[in-house]
Amino acid sequence: MPSTVFNLPSRLSAKDTPELISADDAHFARISGRIDSELAAVESRLADLRRAPGGSGEAALDRDSAIHRLSSELSLLHRFALDICLGRMVFADTGEIVYIGRTGLRDEDGHNLLIDWRAPLAEPFFAATLASPMGLSTRRRYRWSNGRITDYWDERFTSASVEESAALDDQAAFIASLGASRSTKMHDVLSTIQADQDSIIRAPADSPLVVDGGPGTGKTVVALHRAAYLLYSDPSIASSGGLLFVGPNPAYLSYVDDVLPRLGEDGVRLCTLDDLVPETTAANDDERGARLKGKLNPGAVIDRAVSIYEQAPTTALTIDTVWGDLTVTPGDWATAFSAHDTDVDHNTARDLVWNELLDILTEIVVEADEEAEPDQVRAFIGQDPDLREVLTTTWPLLDPLDIAGDIWTVPAYLSLVAPELSDEDVSWLQRSGARDWTKADIPFIDAARRRIGDPADLSQRRRAEAEAAAEQDRMADVVADLVAADDSELMQMQMLKGEDLRGALDNPSAREDLAPDRLAGPYGHIIVDEAQDLTDAQWHMLLDRCPSKGFTIVGDPAQARHGFLQTWDERLRHLGLNVEEVHLSINYRTPAEVMSEAEPVIREVIPHANVPRSVRQSGVPVRRIRTDGVHSLISAWLVSHSEGIVCVITMEPDSWSGIRAERVTVMGPAEVKGLEFDFVILVDPQGFGAGVQGGVDRYVSMTRATAELVTAAHQPSV
């Protein structure tokens, strides 16, 4: 490493003195050496594990878990060098200096070189304030660039010495960092997490939590860092299925997908609601259709639809067997139909029902004829065509897409499975194509897949069972041949006869395993960003995946495109979520100049909107231009700004596709939620629509700007 990690510009020469930075350089030298040895050690342990036999059962799981953990650790160490260190804090009573890192690091003697930012000891680094210093005398945060510290700022919680005062520019430096140029990926903001954000990140996960905040308050930052914190601090989440993070759209996921790996977590699954089913669609229902579908409980609708195909026969059936006539009574069918767990999908349960029925009938025959061999009886009965036909009629194999589509094409069917709909509503929701999917259908497709199962999976499972049975028969033949050929005095092969040898020869690992649905759950915790727009039907998709009801719900009612007239508690209580609510009220992203223009826009349609207070000014007023000046304005901005992203927000993105460039993107107002850009141009914002949706779209679009906002219209600027 260089003689000093600090590479401060000349304007910060007052900070570049041995009294202020030499202790850091000495500590960084120790960290650097330890990182090198840790890299070598982790690589060696990984190589040993990968060379070791895979094993089976719990041993295989432990090996895979260790490989995953070490791979994540190695990835983090490779991604960062000394910039793995975020800052330091000094405790007032002892003078102890504690350095905070993206991960923990100890020296050879076990002493802490870095404390993981999620550890309890690190909390004061983020949470201390002048009003509540949490035992600190000072706190220092670093700004890294290309592996060197290009700035740092100190906060003093007690009186400062003359030498220290040169670095006490914490607020100025922090405010300046908020205006840094954006890129296609979210900035690394871990070192600048604020106390109000940190308290939410570290909140317990024992009850559903709502994080309410307006634009620029750091809701997404909180959500992502909370995901990493919860996986670190609450082992029950990992053991209950892990953590799912749900974002509003693909552009948002692309923007944030690098954040969690930078925090040392790569096990979080990120998705949109549309990703939860393999069917894709860009079509939308009309407003009334979407509203009607959104208020339904998809699980209840599909359960009623499927239960029609699970009706036990009510008449007796007599079948002819070699042991005499056998009567299958309605009671036998009823017992078989109820002999499965309610959480087993329909197609899987069909086999369970069949097996239970064969058990019942076999027992009847064996009780009547003691010489009857149960296996022979069962095999004989199982081949009876009449019995099979009755089962096929009363519990048929179903395709979930057929059920999910039929409810929208057969009025009587929809009336039966959704009795809360009026006749007029049922008529409105009808369509001609059963599989002409819309986005509002996705919760019903998901519920159908969960309730019915995938027919392809059933076929694959039956094929595997047939292969296993054939392999067992083959092993039985091998055993018989070995026993017959055994002429040893001790008859050793006789000792191996039966299941011991058969099991030793069997090779279940050679058979194809079912590929699990990675997004089916269950999960130990789900974080939902931009949750204000979710319908009841969409919430049920998530509730089905999280039995513990462990949710972090992030959103802003003022950004709900279709209105949000209730409180969060009123909105979620009827879904079974009794939430705690916290609020973020400081806008760290949007300049005051932009917010002063955006606030009246949202107040016009939502008078009581929670509009956050901006903490910085850009010095650039909002401008208004003609649309024919957009191209030249963008060109001039790109010339004068070597960094940063421009976004043109318009209702007609295709008509502006010609201006897309490396640092210029074009999006619709419904697509920009959760994103941020240096320079935002709104084309014809009045054309975004009237009412709540139009006002919300304008407000959301305006508040994406971190530096400058321009509105463009066909009329001359006023």
Side-chain angles (χ1 to χ4, degrees), residues 432-512:
S432 58
R435 298 195 183 189
D436 293 341
W437 305 120
T438 67
K439 287 188 176 296
D441 293 333
I442 287 175
F444 298 89
I445 297 173
D446 181 64
R449 285 187 175 279
R450 300 175 74 84
R451 177 66 172 82
I452 296 169
D454 190 332
D457 289 347
L458 182 63
S459 298
Q460 186 176 345
R461 184 167 60 249
R462 286 181 169 174
R463 187 166 58 251
E465 290 171 354
E467 290 173 357
E471 190 168 356
Q472 285 291 326
D473 290 342
R474 186 172 64 84
M475 290 304 105
D477 292 340
V478 171
V479 170
D481 290 343
L482 289 173
V483 171
D486 184 13
D487 57 0
S488 64
E489 185 175 334
L490 295 177
M491 299 294 288
Q492 292 172 319
M493 287 302 170
Q494 287 284 357
M495 298 170 62
L496 296 174
K497 185 177 180 180
E499 296 301 324
D500 292 338
L501 181 57
R502 201 177 301 176
L505 294 174
D506 190 14
N507 182 21
S509 63
R511 293 191 286 271
E512 182 181 10

Side-chain angles (χ1 to χ4, degrees), residues 477-683:
D477 292 340
V478 171
V479 170
D481 290 343
L482 289 173
V483 171
D486 184 13
D487 57 0
S488 64
E489 185 175 334
L490 295 177
M491 299 294 288
Q492 292 172 319
M493 287 302 170
Q494 287 284 357
M495 298 170 62
L496 296 174
K497 185 177 180 180
E499 296 301 324
D500 292 338
L501 181 57
R502 201 177 301 176
L505 294 174
D506 190 14
N507 182 21
S509 63
R511 293 191 286 271
E512 182 181 10
D513 290 329
L514 289 176
D517 183 350
R518 290 167 56 85
L519 295 176
Y523 291 96
H525 198 88
I526 296 179
I527 296 180
V528 191
D529 201 359
E530 303 295 348
Q532 68 276 351
D533 284 318
L534 268 62
T535 65
D536 282 4
Q538 291 170 327
W539 271 115
H540 282 293
M541 293 176 72
L542 300 179
L543 287 164
D544 287 343
R545 285 168 167 78
C546 192
S548 68
K549 296 184 179 180
F551 281 88
T552 298
I553 299 155
V554 182
D556 176 17
Q559 297 184 58
R561 299 185 76 224
H562 301 292
F564 196 109
L565 302 179
Q566 303 166 293
T567 65
W568 282 107
D569 179 64
E570 292 167 343
R571 174 72 186 86
L572 298 172
R573 191 190 316 133
H574 79 281
L575 295 169
L577 290 174
N578 297 313
V579 300
E580 295 183 14
E581 192 171 340
V582 293
H583 297 268
L584 293 169
S585 58
I586 300 175
N587 188 334
Y588 298 104
R589 178 184 68 213
T590 316
E593 293 87 346
V594 173
M595 284 306 298
S596 65
E597 297 268 349
E599 182 170 357
V601 170
I602 196 61
R603 295 263 186 238
E604 182 178 352
V605 293
I606 305 178
H608 303 296
N610 178 22
V611 180
R613 175 178 60 86
S614 292
V615 297
R616 67 185 184 92
Q617 296 181 333
S618 66
V620 181
V622 176
R623 289 187 286 162
R624 294 168 176 80
I625 65 169
R626 292 176 56 101
T627 53
D628 55 15
V630 169
H631 287 75
S632 58
L633 178 63
I634 291 175
S635 298
W637 193 91
L638 292 174
V639 170
S640 61
H641 296 76
S642 59
E643 297 179 332
I645 301 293
V646 180
C647 184
V648 176
I649 304 176
T650 171
M651 291 294 291
E652 301 177 343
D654 291 342
S655 65
W656 290 84
S657 58
I659 67 172
R660 286 191 173 94
E662 183 179 351
R663 292 193 288 136
V664 181
T665 186
V666 182
M667 305 181 78
E671 302 172 302
V672 299
K673 195 163 288 184
L675 305 180
E676 53 186 29
F677 312 94
D678 298 88
F679 185 24
V680 172
I681 301 174
L682 268 59
V683 177

